[in-house]
C-alpha cells in the first residue's frame, strides 16, 4: 500500500523522504472522494459547461432567435410598439411579459397566451417588431439546464430528488478541492511553470493534466462548489418551508384604485412608456430589460433590470391605473442573506457580464470536466491497479502460508 | 492442503467496472425525458386535450358568463408550510366575457364577501391559475365556490363539488378524514 501510494502521488516532491502518514491520509481521501461517482460528476460538469453557452448554441443553430437590424442606424422599438407589433402579428394574443436583453444579439422574448389557452414564447425582432418564430415544444436551452440541474427528474411527493442528487455533488467537489490543495504541495508552481508531458505515456499525461487543470481551476471550482452547495442548502430550507425573503406579502393594487366602470368595460390603464417614465424617475440607473404586464386587475406593471450591482436584478412595481410607483426592490433593500442568495445563480452560470465571461466559464467548465476524467484515469491506471496487486500479493502470501501448514 | 484461487469472471468484471457504476445514474434522465417533455407541454397547454390542465373539469355558467375550469396537475394537494395544503386550478373565461370580467376567485366553501372570495386567478383571460388553500376542516363533500367580479362591480357565483373537480383531492380528503 505504501509503495502504491508513493507511486501514485507523482507530486513534485518525489525526491523528498517518506511522506508523513497525514499527507497519505489526505491523499487517499482525495482519491476516494470523487472516484466512486466520477461518471456522474463528469456528466454534470459536461452538461453544465454546455448549459453555460446553450443560449449561444441556439443562436448559432436557429436564425429566428437573432436580433438582426435592418439597417446600421435602426432604432429599437419601444415597449408599446412591441405590444402593437405582437397584436398585429398574433391577433388576440395577450402579452404576459417582454424580455429585452440590453444591447443584445438576441431577439426579444415575448411570452403570450393565445386565445386557444396555450402559452407561447415569441421571438420578436427588436427593430422591426416582426415575430420571427417561437420556442418549440423542445427547447434546447431549457432541456440542457434541466438535464444539468435535476436530471429531468420530476417532483415526487413534493420532493425534488434530482435537484438533491446534483447539488449534493458540491460536497465531494469542495472536498476534492480542499484535499487537492493539501496534497499538491506548492501547487502555485503550476502557474509559473506549467508542465504537460504528453509523450511520456498515459500515466504521466493524465497525472500532469490533472495537476495542471486542478491548479488553474482553483477559483472556478471554489465558485462552483460554493454556489452548488448553496443550492443544496436553499432546497433544504425550501423543503423545510423556511423563508428568507424580506419581500413580504404579495403586493396587490388597492381595491379603491381599481376603477368601476359603469358600462362594464375594462378600466383604462397607463401605457408602458408611462410606466417606464415612472420607473426612470424612481431608479435612474436601472436599465430595464424585463417588463411584466399585470396578470389580473389587481396586479402591477413590473419593470426589472440590472442596476449598478451586476449580479442582481432590481424591480419596480407600477400601479397600472394611476402610474404610481408602489414598490421598488433595489439591491439596497435586500438583506445580506438575500444578496448572497440572489448572487449565487449568476455566479454559478456566469451570465452577468456578457459573452466573454460565458466563454471563460465554458473553458473552465470543460477544464473541470477534464479534471474529473483525468482524476479517474490517474486513479484507475495507478492506484487501483496497485491496490489490486497488493491485495493479490497478500492473498497469495496467506495461501502459501495455509499451504505450508 | 493446497487451494487454487483464480479470480472468478464475476469478480474480475466487478474489479473492472466498479468505479464506473455511477454512469448507471444516467439511465434516469433517459427514462424521464418523456415525462419531462409531457410536463413542459402541460405547462404551456400545447396539447388539445390538456389545453388548460391535466384534467379539464368542464364548462360552468356563472351568472351571465361562463368559464372552463381544469386541474392544472392531477395530484393531491401539496404542503406549503404554514399556509397548509394547497391545490392549483386553471380557468379560461368565455371569449364573449373577457372584457367584462374584472377578477375571478376560487375557494373551498362559501365566501362571506368579496374580500374572502378566495384565491385570485392570475394570468391571461384565456388561461389563468389560482392556488387554493385547503382548510383543515374541509371534506370531500365540500364545494368549490367560484366568484366572478365584473368591471361594473357585480358579483356572480357558482359551485363545483370537489368530487367532480378533483378525484385526487377527493381521495386525499377522504383519507385525511379517516
Amino acid at each position: 500500500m505504501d509503495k502504491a501510494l508513493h507511486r501514485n502521488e507523482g507530486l513534485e516532491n518525489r525526491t523528498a523522504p517518506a511522506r508523513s502518514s497525514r499527507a497519505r491520509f489526505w491523499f487517499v481521501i482525495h482519491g476516494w472522494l470523487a472516484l466512486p461517482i466520477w461518471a456522474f460528476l463528469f456528466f454534470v460538469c459536461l452538461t453544465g459547461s454546455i448549459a453555460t453557452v446553450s443560449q449561444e448554441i441556439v443562436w448559432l443553430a436557429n436564425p429566428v432567435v437573432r436580433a438582426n437590424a435592418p439597417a446600421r442606424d435602426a432604432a429599437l422599438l419601444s415597449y408599446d410598439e412591441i405590444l402593437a407589433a405582437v397584436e398585429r402579428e398574433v391577433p388576440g394574443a395577450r402579452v404576459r411579459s417582454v424580455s429585452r436583453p440590453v444591447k443584445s444579439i438576441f431577439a426579444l422574448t415575448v411570452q403570450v397566451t393565445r386565445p386557444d389557452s396555450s402559452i407561447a414564447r415569441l421571438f420578436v425582432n427588436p427593430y422591426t417588431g416582426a415575430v420571427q418564430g417561437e420556442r418549440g415544444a423542445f427547447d434546447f436551452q431549457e432541456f440542457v439546464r434541466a438535464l444539468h440541474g435535476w436530471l429531468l427528474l420530476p417532483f415526487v411527493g413534493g420532493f425534488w430528488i434530482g435537484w438533491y442528487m446534483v447539488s449534493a455533488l458540491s460536497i465531494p467537489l469542495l472536498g476534492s478541492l480542499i484535499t487537492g490543495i493539501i496534497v499538491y504541495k506548492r501547487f502555485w508552481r503550476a502557474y509559473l511553470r506549467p508542465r504537460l508531458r504528453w509523450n511520456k505515456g498515459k500515466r504521466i499525461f493524465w497525472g500532469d493534466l490533472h495537476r495542471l487543470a486542478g491548479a488553474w481551476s482553483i477559483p472556478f471550482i471554489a465558485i462552483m462548489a460554493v454556489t452548488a452547495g448553496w443550492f443544496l442548502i436553499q432546497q433544504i430550507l425550501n423543503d423545510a418551508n423556511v423563508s428568507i425573503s424580506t419581500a413580504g406579502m404579495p403586493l396587490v393594487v388597492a381595491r379603491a384604485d381599481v376603477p368601476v366602470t359603469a358600462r362594464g368595460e375594462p378600466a383604462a390603464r397607463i401605457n408602458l412608456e408611462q410606466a417606464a417614465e415612472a420607473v426612470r424617475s424612481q431608479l435612474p440607473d436601472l436599465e430595464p430589460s424585463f417588463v411584466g404586464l399585470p396578470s389580473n386587475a389587481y396586479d402591477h406593471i413590473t419593470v426589472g433590470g440590472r442596476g449598478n450591482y451586476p449580479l442582481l436584478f432590481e424591480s419596480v412595481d407600477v400601479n397600472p391605473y394611476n402610474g404610481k410607483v408602489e414598490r421598488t426592490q433595489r439591491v439596497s433593500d435586500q438583506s445580506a442573506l438575500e444578496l448572497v442568495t440572489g448572487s449565487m445563480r449568476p455566479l454559478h452560470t456566469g451570465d452577468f457580464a456578457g459573452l466573454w465571461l460565458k466563454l471563460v466559464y465554458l473553458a473552465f467548465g470543460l477544464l473541470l470536466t477534464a479534471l474529473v476524467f483525468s482524476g479517474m484515469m490517474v486513479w484507475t491506471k495507478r492506484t487501483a491497479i496497485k491496490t489490486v496487486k497488493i491485495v493479490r500479493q497478500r492473498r497469495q502470501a496467506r495461501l502459501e502460508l495455509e499451504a505450508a501448514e | 492442503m493446497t487451494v487454487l484461487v483464480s479470480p472468478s469472471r464475476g469478480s474480475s468484471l466487478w474489479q473492472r467496472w466498479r468505479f464506473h457504476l455511477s454512469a448507471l445514474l444516467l439511465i434516469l434522465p433517459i427514462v424521464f425525458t418523456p415525462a419531462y417533455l409531457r410536463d413542459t407541454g402541460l405547462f404551456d397547454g400545447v396539447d388539445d386535450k390538456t389545453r388548460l390542465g391535466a384534467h379539464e373539469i368542464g364548462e360552468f355558467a356563472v351568472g351571465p358568463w361562463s368559464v372552463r375550469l381544469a386541474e392544472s396537475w392531477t395530484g393531491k394537494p401539496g404542503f406549503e408550510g404554514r399556509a397548509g395544503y394547497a391545490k392549483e386550478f386553471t380557468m379560461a373565461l368565455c371569449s364573449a366575457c373577457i372584457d367584462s370580467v374584472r377578477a375571478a376567485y376560487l375557494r373551498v366553501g362559501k365566501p362571506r364577501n368579496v374580500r374572502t372570495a378566495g384565491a385570485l386567478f392570475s394570468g391571461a383571460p384565456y388561461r389563468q391559475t389560482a392556488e387554493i388553500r385547503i382548510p383543515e376542516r374541509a371534506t370531500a363533500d365540500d364545494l368549490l365556490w367560484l366568484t366572478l367580479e365584473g368591471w361594473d362591480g357585480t358579483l356572480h357565483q357558482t359551485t363545483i363539488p370537489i368530487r367532480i373537480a378533483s378525484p385526487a383531492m377527493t381521495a386525499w380528503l377522504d383519507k385525511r378524514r379517516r
Side-chain angles (χ1 to χ4, degrees), chain B residues 16-34:
Chain B
R16 198 180 164 79
W17 290 105
R18 60 193 163 147
F19 299 131
H20 309 317
L21 286 178
S22 66
L24 293 175
L25 283 175
L26 304 187
I27 294 171
L28 286 174
I30 296 169
V31 169
F32 281 100
T33 295

Side-chain angles (χ1 to χ4, degrees), chain B residues 87-155:
Chain B
K87 168 98 181 146
E88 190 184 283
F89 289 88
T90 313
M91 189 266 292
L93 294 170
C94 63
S95 47
C97 50
I98 283 173
D99 283 337
S100 23
V101 177
R102 174 157 95 175
Y105 310 84
L106 188 69
R107 60 167 272 159
V108 176
K110 186 175 183 179
R112 284 187 311 264
N113 56 44
V114 70
R115 289 185 186 278
T116 58
L120 175 62
F121 277 93
S122 283
Y126 320 119
R127 181 192 189 86
Q128 32 193 307
T129 57
E131 200 174 40
I132 64 168
R133 287 193 49 209
I134 316 295
E136 297 271 342
R137 308 175 311 279
T139 74
D141 296 315
D142 285 340
L143 301 173
L144 297 182
W145 281 72
L146 177 67
T147 304
L148 298 189
E149 179 186 20
W151 280 104
D152 59 2
T154 56
L155 294 174

Side-chain angles (χ1 to χ4, degrees), chain A residues 98 151 181 235 291 293 392:
Chain A
V98 180
L151 305 171
I181 292 173
Q235 192 61 30
V291 171
L293 282 92
R392 282 201 188 138

Side-chain angles (χ1 to χ4, degrees), chain A residues 32 37-40 43 92 94 114 116-119 121 151-153 241 255 259 261 264 266 295-298 403, chain B residues 1 19-20 22 26 29 32-33 44-45 51 68 81 98-99 102 105 120-124 126-127 149 151-152:
Chain A
W32 282 105
I37 50 151
W38 82 267
F40 179 45
F43 175 80
R94 291 290 177 113
R114 286 209 187 85
D116 71 357
S117 295
S118 64
I119 293 174
R121 286 161 199 83
L151 305 171
L152 311 177
L153 298 194
N241 292 297
R255 182 162 277 276
T261 56
S295 63
N296 56 48
Y298 298 99
Chain B
M1 194 181 86
F19 299 131
H20 309 317
S22 66
L26 304 187
F32 281 100
T33 295
D44 288 349
R51 197 62 94 180
R68 286 187 301 131
I98 283 173
D99 283 337
R102 174 157 95 175
Y105 310 84
L120 175 62
F121 277 93
S122 283
Y126 320 119
R127 181 192 189 86
E149 179 186 20
W151 280 104
D152 59 2

